[in-house]
Amino acid sequence: MSYDIFVMRFDNGETVPLDMAVAHEVLDPFAVARDPEAGFLAVAVEGEEADVYFNAPTGITFNRFGGGGVMDLLAVLLRRLDAVLVAPGGPVVVPRDGIRQHLPEALTDDCPVVVARTGVEIDQAIRAA
């Protein structure tokens, strides 16, 4: 896919910092290119690639992503960070139902919130929007 999706974390409707050390722990083993000064990392899983931009401290952007391997990696990242995935025009993907209560009202008013625990479920949620 060629648009941006955003990994974010919320608490009581407010954006909170992501644990970037955990994000790197999850993503770095799959890095095929990096530019630490720009906060950029290219990852590849099972021949599929994605561009990842670290917008510290509160966000990670995935661009030019796709394929089951990258989506599975994204599912692991969401679980480890206890974060959500925000796709333009919806949906908001959460790895577990309890996170829903922390989302800002403005985010959930116009977008469906979907629980997705696997890469396949995330892919299906994005494509259904």
Side-chain angles (χ1 to χ4, degrees), residues 49-92:
E49 295 185 15
D51 292 338
V52 181
Y53 298 89
F54 294 89
N55 310 310
T58 60
I60 300 171
T61 303
F62 276 70
N63 180 269
R64 297 184 337 160
F65 61 94
V70 169
M71 299 309 267
D72 288 341
L73 183 60
L74 186 55
V76 171
L77 184 65
L78 293 178
R79 283 193 308 270
R80 292 282 311 275
L81 294 175
D82 207 24
V84 304
L85 177 69
V86 179
V92 176

Side-chain angles (χ1 to χ4, degrees), residues 24-54:
H24 279 286
E25 183 180 302
V26 171
L27 298 172
D28 282 356
F30 301 94
V32 294
R34 66 179 77 230
D35 182 348
E37 288 184 22
F40 170 78
L41 188 68
V43 296
V45 183
E46 300 170 5
E48 300 151 353
E49 295 185 15
D51 292 338
V52 181
Y53 298 89
F54 294 89

Side-chain angles (χ1 to χ4, degrees), residues 1 3 5 65 67-76 78-79 85 87 90-97 112-129:
M1 294 184 187
Y3 66 102
I5 55 175
F65 61 94
V70 169
M71 299 309 267
D72 288 341
L73 183 60
L74 186 55
V76 171
L78 293 178
R79 283 193 308 270
L85 177 69
V92 176
V93 177
V94 297
R96 60 182 179 81
D97 205 32
V113 178
V114 178
V115 176
R117 293 175 179 88
T118 67
V120 169
E121 291 173 349
I122 293 170
D123 187 56
Q124 289 171 342
I126 292 170
R127 291 182 188 279

